[in-house]
Each structure stands twice: as structure tokens, then as C-alpha cells.
Amino acid sequence: MLNKIIFFEKMGKKRLVTEEKLSSIDKKYREVVQKKIKGKKFPFINIYIQATYNNTLITITSNDGKVITRLSAGALGFTGPKRATPYAATQVAKALLERISDVGIEEVKIFVKGIGAGREAAIRAFASANLNITYIKDITPIPHNGPKRPRPRKV
């Protein structure tokens, strides 16, 4: 049986790997994340949700800003326009909650950035997990005045 050959990009280098090797690479990444979290308690965490038109990225940090874990809809296997759907955002949130299930969370602050479809769905997914959400803030950058207008044309 032939293994499926796919592209894998790591640190800017693209290479062809088999599906088995990709799953082992993904397994190693999961082990690194679990070693990072294992035995540590994070009572206060920040959740950053970046919802773009093309993807939904969620990052979980400790209170002092160190990244605990992160995940995107593309990393879960959603491709193309499916990455920006509310369903993909809920799946990303559920997968992250499974990763950090044993870190002793007491309070959660959520920061939302972007105007994609997954922003509210991700917040609802975290709220349905019975987390003590104390703070939700929209940090989407808003232009105040915009760029300078072009000068009048000289004829």
C-alpha cells in the first residue's frame, strides 16, 4: 500500500513527507505541549481569539503573557473557506479546552480581534465549558483618520 505524499512546511522549509511521518511530527508537537503544561497550574489565563476572513486562531497565555498553547482551524484539518466558519471556531475552542483540562483554571480573560465569523462562536464555546469568564474585550484595531489624501493633479 502506497503512503500518501504531502507537503509539510516547518520553519520556512517545504518538503515532501509521507502521511505516517506527518502524524509522528504532530505527535511530537503534542508531547512538547503536554510537557510544557504538565504539573503546572495556571489559575489566571488570557485567551486571544483572532478571527479573520480566512481563519480562526486561538492562543492561550498565562497571566504574564507566556504562551501556553495555541491552535488554528487550519491546523485541525479545515481547508479553504471552511476554516473561517463558526463551526471550525467551536472545534478549535473545544480542542484547546481538552489540551488544558488539568491546569487548574480559576479566571479567564478573553480578548477578541478581527471581524471574522468565528469570533462569537469561539466565545460561546468557552462560555459553555463553564469557565469563569471575568472579562471580554474587543481589541480590533480601528483607524481614526486614515492616510493623507493625494495632492491635486497639476495639468
Side-chain angles (χ1 to χ4, degrees):
M1 184 172 152
L2 293 173
N3 290 329
K4 189 176 177 185
I5 296 176
I6 53 175
F7 268 107
F8 173 66
E9 186 174 346
K10 183 178 181 183
M11 298 171 79
K13 297 177 183 175
K14 290 184 179 179
R15 59 184 180 192
L16 289 170
V17 294
T18 61
E19 202 169 87
E20 288 177 4
K21 189 157 186 167
L22 184 66
S23 65
S24 69
I25 292 169
D26 190 38
K27 193 181 199 182
K28 286 178 187 175
Y29 175 73
R30 283 194 194 119
E31 288 172 4
V32 168
V33 169
Q34 291 304 322
K35 282 180 185 176
K36 194 176 184 183
I37 296 173
K38 194 172 184 179
K40 292 186 180 179
K41 296 294 177 189
F42 298 101
F44 306 104
I45 63 168
N46 298 335
I47 298 175
Y48 292 90
I49 301 168
Q50 184 178 356
T52 65
Y53 285 125
N54 297 321
N55 207 348
T56 303
L57 304 124
I58 302 178
T59 306
I60 296 179
T61 66
S62 60
N63 205 24
D64 56 343
K66 294 181 181 174
V67 175
I68 299 170
T69 183
R70 64 176 182 238
L71 196 61
S72 69
L76 282 182
F78 291 96
T79 57
K82 297 180 198 119
R83 291 183 304 183
T85 60
Y87 176 72
T90 56
Q91 294 303 311
V92 172
K94 287 178 184 176
L96 280 173
L97 286 169
E98 286 177 15
R99 280 190 189 178
I100 60 160
S101 60
D102 57 343
V103 296
I105 301 167
E106 292 176 13
E107 286 186 13
V108 175
K109 293 181 181 179
I110 297 179
F111 300 93
V112 185
K113 184 177 185 179
I115 51 176
R119 52 187 278 150
E120 288 182 22
I123 293 172
R124 285 195 183 120
F126 285 117
S128 67
N130 295 328
L131 294 176
N132 185 14
I133 299 172
T134 58
Y135 189 73
I136 298 175
K137 185 175 181 182
D138 187 4
I139 55 170
T140 306
I142 300 169
H144 292 285
N145 198 7
K148 185 178 175 183
R149 291 190 53 165
R151 63 169 178 78
R153 189 169 164 235
K154 294 175 185 171
V155 180

